[in-house]
Amino acid sequence: MELRTAASPKDVKHYTTERLREEFLIPDLFHPDEIRLVYSHIDRFITGAAVPVTRELKLTAGEELRASYFLERREMGVINIGGAGQITVDGKTYPVNCKEGMYIGLGAKDISFASADAGHPAKFYLNSTPAHKAYPSVLIKPEGIPEEGVVIIKDENKAELGSLEQSNHRTICKYILPGQVESCQLVMGMTKLEPGSVWNTMPCHTHDRRMEVYLYFDIPEDAFVMHYMGEPCETRHIVMRNEQAVISPSWSVHAGSGSQAYTFIWGMAGENQAFDDMDAVSNKDIR
């Protein structure tokens, strides 16, 4: 598990391109037959990925957590961006297809990941935060029929926003949030831009009470996303490629523009779980 410390906005404004990428970019999460994890001191947020190909992968706490098992003091959200797979939690196996997810609650001990087809492996993207209460582990599907242990994302948690004229026509799909999938502090979802649109989270905002991590994907090899961060009056950018993540401190804006449409997963943690608790920044004030 890689460790990342927090950074002051006073320091970040003086970073070189390489230093900025070193502190905030997570470039290589998805590796065959590996679980890779990055632990940020910012709200103790863990970002990771599991790519089972030839074998099942078991999630362990490692030395960094000083815990008997990974979710001894934590909760976790997972979204699969690859082929069909399975997640086994304490002996119960959940089939998790592409764009489906899971919430796994505090106290789950034995967690493993597998793919249905080694030729088209699952790619499980993970977000984990400290937790104080055990909520039920559930499979999360964008569509389908509700059943025991399965949550279907509500229509009100699928929002179509923006317009082609503003180059930001997108659909936000909220996976983990109060009233749908209960958690202690983790909030998680996915935003897909429509063809012809390239801007996300614009006009931009900060939220002092929460940090955020973005994972950008569905980006062709020769394309990229310019991710904007920093204080509204001291913005910086990081060039993002396919399946790369970026850490956004609570004091930073977080927005992007791509060379073409793309998809990204967002995960948040901090003081509250209010999706709309943000401080908007006017376009005319961005520098």
Side-chain angles (χ1 to χ4, degrees):
M1 187 184 302
E2 180 188 347
L3 299 179
R4 301 278 185 100
T5 55
S8 165
K10 294 180 181 178
D11 296 330
V12 170
K13 66 178 66 179
H14 302 295
Y15 285 179
T16 62
T17 297
E18 285 307 310
R19 178 68 188 281
L20 199 69
R21 293 172 66 85
E22 179 184 341
E23 294 290 338
F24 301 108
L25 177 67
I26 305 176
D28 54 357
L29 279 176
F30 296 88
H31 278 250
D33 283 331
E34 288 186 26
I35 295 177
R36 293 198 168 190
L37 303 167
V38 175
Y39 181 114
S40 173
H41 283 194
I42 305 172
D43 285 306
R44 304 291 166 174
F45 197 102
I46 293 177
T47 306
V51 186
V53 181
T54 63
R55 60 190 178 90
E56 186 177 45
L57 300 178
K58 298 184 182 298
L59 182 64
T60 61
E63 290 295 322
E64 294 81 3
L65 294 185
R66 300 293 195 272
S68 301
Y69 52 95
F70 192 86
L71 294 186
E72 183 178 9
R73 299 183 297 268
R74 291 184 156 267
E75 60 187 356
M76 184 168 67
V78 184
I79 296 178
N80 182 9
I81 65 168
Q86 301 92 34
I87 301 176
T88 300
V89 180
D90 290 338
K92 182 175 180 179
T93 298
Y94 300 82
V96 185
N97 296 317
C98 188
K99 305 294 176 66
E100 295 180 349
M102 275 204 74
Y103 171 80
I104 307 175
L106 170 76
K109 291 184 178 181
D110 297 318
I111 302 169
S112 61
F113 304 91
S115 292
D117 178 4
H120 187 34
K123 295 181 177 181
F124 296 107
Y125 176 64
L126 321 175
N127 285 173
S128 175
T129 56
H132 62 274
K133 179 180 178 180
Y135 285 104
S137 297
V138 293
L139 178 63
I140 307 166
K141 296 185 177 186
E143 307 286 347
I145 300 173
E147 56 185 285
E148 184 178 359
V150 179
V151 171
I152 307 302
I153 296 175
K154 299 176 181 178
D155 288 343
E156 59 263 35
N157 289 327
K158 302 173 187 175
E160 189 174 349
L161 301 175
S163 66
L164 186 59
E165 289 76 16
Q166 293 182 316
S167 302
N168 66 353
H169 184 200
R170 63 203 188 277
T171 300
I172 299 176
C173 195
K174 304 170 187 175
Y175 284 60
I176 301 171
L177 77 165
Q180 178 169 271
V181 174
E182 298 300 328
S183 67
C184 294
Q185 63 166 315
L186 180 64
V187 177
M188 197 172 180
M190 180 186 301
T191 299
K192 177 179 174 57
L193 275 73
E194 299 301 325
S197 288
V198 297
W199 280 101
N200 77 67
T201 323
M202 185 59 64
C204 62
H205 59 263
T206 60
H207 28 69
D208 244 2
R209 290 148 296 281
R210 292 174 295 154
M211 64 86 71
E212 192 158 6
V213 176
Y214 279 6
L215 171 76
Y216 290 99
F217 67 106
D218 286 347
I219 303 173
E221 185 176 356
D222 61 346
F224 61 90
V225 173
M226 302 289 281
H227 178 81
Y228 304 105
M229 64 162 297
E231 294 178 289
C233 61
E234 288 276 354
T235 58
R236 301 291 185 269
H237 74 269
I238 298 176
V239 176
M240 308 290 300
R241 304 294 177 177
N242 191 44
E243 297 179 358
Q244 293 185 336
V246 61
I247 299 168
S248 177
S250 57
W251 49 263
S252 175
V253 298
H254 37 283
S257 61
S259 57
Q260 64 182 74
Y262 51 90
T263 306
F264 68 100
I265 294 171
W266 40 268
M268 294 183 281
E271 183 71 20
N272 63 38
Q273 296 176 290
F275 184 82
D276 293 327
D277 183 8
M278 58 188 70
D279 299 310
V281 179
S282 173
N283 282 347
K284 63 182 179 60
D285 293 328
I286 292 289
R287 294 181 57 188

